[in-house]
Amino acid sequence: MSLDPTPMEPLVAVEDVHTYYGKSHILHGVSLHVDRGEVVGLLGRNGVGKSTTLKTIMGLVHPNRGKVLFAGKLVTGLPAHKLARLGIGYVPEDRRIFRLLTVMENLRTGLDRHGITEARKQELLDKAFTYFPVLAERRNQAGGTLSGGEQQMLAIARAMMLEPKIILLDEPTEGLMPRMVSQIREIIEVLHREGVAILLVEQNVPLTLEASQRIYIMEKGAVRHHCAASELKVDDAVVHQYLGV
Amino acid sequence: MTPVLEFLQAIPYDQILIQTVNGIVTGMILALIASGLTLIFGIMDVVNFAHGELFMFGAYMGVVVLAATGSFWLALLLATLIVALIGAALQITTLRPLIGRDPLTTILATFGISLVMQNYALWQFGPVARKIQEPFTGQFTLFYLEYPWYRVLIAGLSAAIIGAFWLFLKYGTYGIWIRATTQDRVMAEAMGIPVSWVYTTVFAIGAGMAAASGVLFGPLVGVNHAMGLDWVLKAFIVVVVGGMGNLGGSIAASIFISLLEAYASIWVSPAQAVIVSFVVLILTLLFRPTGLFVPTPK
Ligand SMILES: Nc1ncnc2c1ncn2[C@@H]1O[C@H](COP(=O)(O)OP(=O)(O)O)[C@@H](O)[C@H]1O
Ligand SMILES: [Mg+2]
């Protein structure tokens, strides 16, 4: 496989990945891919391995078998900080704001890096503060003092500071009020328009179907269903089978 | 005369003032040693038993550079840098492979390093204590004492080094990386922060601070291979009393304990005054195991 990214190859490809936590076998051969600029939904009941899939892509856990490719390049086994530098942003399910750092310092963890100009930093900050004005207001407040919704916005803004080519979004609307949920929905739209790919893990099926182009459904550590988002309806038999209410 | 008046007159005000100055001077040096220790613990959960030997190595590097160049300040600077580099090398070779293992392994590793360093120093420099000549010998009169300006300078310099380090932690990019890593190592890594290098840097900074205090304190105590033992023991006490990993707490505890010991030595011999720090340690462990200088966790 060529090292140069070609338009044909997916931005992220996961191929037959098996991941363990200690002795427990969690992912049993997961395969999926995300193209450049594409929003892909990853659905499934609790505990089927969605978060583990994202962690495997991010290099936070390393698979025993299978490959992860980024822009055609094998990245399996690379440490997470190298993947972040390559252009993968990670917004984990519990947000994981640096609670004692201020909002601004949280953003600086992604912003202060080699090869970025001051002007570009300012642009990125301005952009984040335009999308999330509340973060501008609270820029000198400790991250831990923000509300759940604000922390979610900070987690997304922080990932955006890396100028990622893809963002792995793990249940961004979990536990948020409806107003916040629609704001998250909007930001996904904005990122999509800007050409950032997103791998979206969600429990909110309608939102995922609306925001994504393609859908993967997982069960027991493997992908069981794959289709275009437009083929799936909220009350589809498939949705009932795998996500059941 | 009333008993109250008698009591007030019996208080040795002059001695108390002298001991206050002494306590602050020792406290600042101790704070400089303990800052590195508490930082290394706070960020990487490593109890560094080799810290006293890094202090001792710093003092010996000071002796060597001073003999070669004749400049105390150059000796201070070079000893700090050399020992920081030694610290980085030790961390990379010995502690980095242990990341994620049982903390007991790091205790054994750092204890091993301390033994090697002590015996190396004994072999290289011999058992006779060396002297570091203080950079100047001026004195001022404090009651019946001629008090050396150099001691006041040590306190000031230690405070300056700690202050500079605090500013670096607060405003520097690397400082933000260090604090982010302390709070959430995994998320820091996911934000592109090279966590294993942050560990190395922190260890190097801690080692450099220990070395700087070794050089600064050298003129007061003499330099020998076992000089680290006393200080590191006290630094450990301070780190526990201040709250493991709490930088501000360690500094406060350093001054607090040094002052108590200094006051106690008005009435008992300095060797007995050391008991004070153990008493504070035991009381802390009994009643506030998270440290005297942190709010009680809810
Ligand atoms: N750190 C861990 N150690 C051991 N088991 C884990 C760990 N994290 C998750 N698991 C287990 O792995 C399985 C998949 O978890 P996860 O990927 O978080 O699922 P999902 O995100 O789909 O809800 C679950 O059974 C969970 O209990
Ligand atoms: Mg999950």
Side-chain angles (χ1 to χ4, degrees), chain A residues 58 60 79-81 84-85 88 90 92 95-96 98-101 105-106 108-110 112 158-159 162, chain B residues 169-173 176-177 179-181 183-197:
Chain A
M58 194 65 219
L60 295 173
H81 69 92
R85 290 285 176 260
I88 308 185
Y90 178 53
R95 288 134 201 177
R96 298 183 85 152
F98 300 114
R99 306 183 65 83
L100 301 176
L101 299 192
E105 288 168 341
N106 266 280
R108 277 183 65 189
T109 58
D112 291 359
R158 182 177 64 176
L162 294 167
Chain B
L169 271 186
K170 182 102 177 79
Y171 298 108
T173 294
I176 290 179
W177 286 10
R179 286 187 288 141
T181 304
Q183 287 170 47
D184 188 337
R185 187 180 68 79
V186 172
M187 196 57 223
E189 182 91 25
M191 286 307 295
I193 297 172
V195 165
S196 48
W197 283 106

Side-chain angles (χ1 to χ4, degrees), chain B residues 6-249:
Chain B
E6 246 173 80
F7 176 74
L8 286 178
Q9 280 175 340
I11 294 176
Y13 292 103
D14 48 350
Q15 290 194 43
I16 284 180
L17 192 72
I18 289 168
Q19 291 305 341
T20 303
V21 177
N22 273 338
I24 289 172
V25 169
T26 338
M28 287 318 299
I29 283 283
L30 191 56
L32 194 55
I33 307 176
S35 302
L37 201 58
T38 203
L39 185 74
I40 289 169
F41 177 80
I43 188 169
M44 40 195 172
D45 284 340
V46 167
V47 178
N48 180 22
F49 279 98
H51 211 68
E53 279 59 47
L54 293 165
F55 168 82
M56 175 269 292
F57 249 53
Y60 269 122
M61 290 300 144
V63 169
V64 172
V65 178
L66 184 58
T69 66
S71 161
F72 178 87
W73 303 113
L74 200 58
L76 177 62
L77 188 69
L78 283 183
T80 304
L81 291 178
I82 293 168
V83 174
L85 285 179
I86 294 175
L90 286 175
Q91 197 276 338
I92 292 170
T93 52
T94 322
L95 292 174
R96 190 181 279 184
L98 300 178
I99 290 174
R101 303 268 195 96
D102 189 332
L104 191 63
T105 59
T106 64
I107 292 180
L108 290 175
T110 57
F111 189 65
I113 293 172
S114 85
L115 291 180
V116 171
M117 289 179 75
Q118 248 182 68
N119 285 292
Y120 172 80
L122 184 60
W123 171 69
Q124 178 72 37
F125 301 103
V128 181
R130 306 289 183 97
K131 179 101 178 82
I132 295 182
Q133 186 59 47
E134 56 261 65
F136 51 83
T137 48
Q139 294 180 328
F140 63 96
T141 310
L142 192 62
F143 301 105
Y144 49 87
L145 265 188
E146 289 300 306
Y147 204 87
W149 274 115
Y150 177 67
R151 288 186 177 233
V152 180
L153 177 93
I154 305 182
L157 262 183
S158 300
I161 295 173
I162 293 171
F165 177 63
W166 187 84
L167 289 177
F168 162 82
L169 271 186
K170 182 102 177 79
Y171 298 108
T173 294
Y174 223 90
I176 290 179
W177 286 10
I178 290 173
R179 286 187 288 141
T181 304
T182 316
Q183 287 170 47
D184 188 337
R185 187 180 68 79
V186 172
M187 196 57 223
E189 182 91 25
M191 286 307 295
I193 297 172
V195 165
S196 48
W197 283 106
V198 170
Y199 284 174
T200 304
T201 308
V202 165
F203 201 86
I205 292 174
M209 285 163 80
S213 37
V215 180
L216 285 175
F217 217 55
L220 304 188
V221 291
V223 178
N224 75 25
H225 68 281
M227 72 187 287
L229 295 177
D230 289 350
W231 282 93
V232 82
L233 179 61
K234 216 171 258 184
F236 273 121
I237 293 176
V238 154
V239 165
V240 173
V241 170
M244 298 289 280
N246 174 349
L247 189 61

Side-chain angles (χ1 to χ4, degrees), chain A:
Chain A
M1 200 174 263
S2 138
L3 283 181
D4 290 321
T6 65
M8 296 313 291
E9 79 202 344
L11 180 62
V12 167
V14 175
E15 296 178 3
D16 191 31
V17 152
H18 290 254
T19 300
Y20 291 71
Y21 287 118
K23 285 210 169 76
S24 36
H25 195 167
I26 305 296
L27 299 187
H28 298 259
V30 170
S31 298
L32 56 81
H33 71 272
V34 181
D35 287 324
R36 286 163 195 281
E38 194 186 21
V39 180
V40 173
L42 182 58
L43 298 172
R45 288 202 183 92
N46 259 332
V48 297
K50 305 180 299 295
S51 299
T52 306
T53 303
L54 297 192
K55 285 180 196 164
T56 306
I57 296 173
M58 194 65 219
L60 295 173
V61 287
H62 296 297
N64 292 36
R65 199 136 66 78
K67 293 189 231 174
V68 180
L69 298 143
F70 183 79
K73 203 175 144 227
L74 189 69
V75 294
T76 329
L78 279 191
H81 69 92
K82 295 233 165 97
L83 290 161
R85 290 285 176 260
L86 283 176
I88 308 185
Y90 178 53
V91 180
E93 138 175 71
D94 35 10
R95 288 134 201 177
R96 298 183 85 152
I97 291 305
F98 300 114
R99 306 183 65 83
L100 301 176
L101 299 192
T102 64
V103 167
M104 193 62 191
E105 288 168 341
N106 266 280
L107 296 175
R108 277 183 65 189
T109 58
L111 206 54
D112 291 359
R113 53 198 149 89
H114 290 297
I116 182 171
T117 62
E118 287 303 318
R120 183 67 190 140
K121 283 187 192 179
Q122 197 53 53
E123 264 174 52
L124 286 169
L125 276 179
D126 289 345
K127 197 166 76 175
F129 288 153
T130 314
Y131 297 149
F132 305 117
V134 66
L135 295 183
E137 280 166 39
R138 305 213 191 290
R139 61 202 294 160
N140 294 320
Q141 216 169 301
T145 64
L146 302 186
S147 73
E150 291 163 353
Q151 287 192 13
Q152 186 63 60
M153 290 175 192
L154 178 55
I156 296 174
R158 182 177 64 176
M160 287 166 61
M161 296 298 109
L162 294 167
E163 300 183 85
K165 298 192 175 63
I166 181 171
I167 296 186
L168 312 175
L169 262 183
D170 201 344
E171 304 204 11
T173 67
E174 190 191 12
L176 298 191
M177 297 181 304
R179 190 173 49 84
M180 292 285 190
V181 172
S182 51
Q183 213 169 338
I184 300 288
R185 171 74 190 84
E186 261 169 54
I187 196 68
I188 293 174
E189 194 51 46
V190 168
L191 288 168
H192 177 54
R193 257 188 272 125
E194 288 184 355
V196 179
I198 292 174
L199 181 53
L200 173 66
V201 168
E202 257 303 338
Q203 296 292 347
N204 183 334
V205 178
L207 180 142
T208 313
L209 295 185
E210 211 183 291
S212 317
Q213 282 89 65
R214 281 187 304 120
I215 301 285
Y216 290 95
I217 302 181
M218 284 182 75
E219 194 187 51
K220 292 184 190 150
V223 170
R224 291 299 150 93
H225 191 82
H226 172 207
C227 62
S230 53
E231 287 171 27
L232 217 55
K233 297 276 169 303
V234 175
D235 53 359
D236 233 291
V238 178
V239 172
H240 278 287
Q241 183 188 343
Y242 291 113
L243 307 171
V245 229

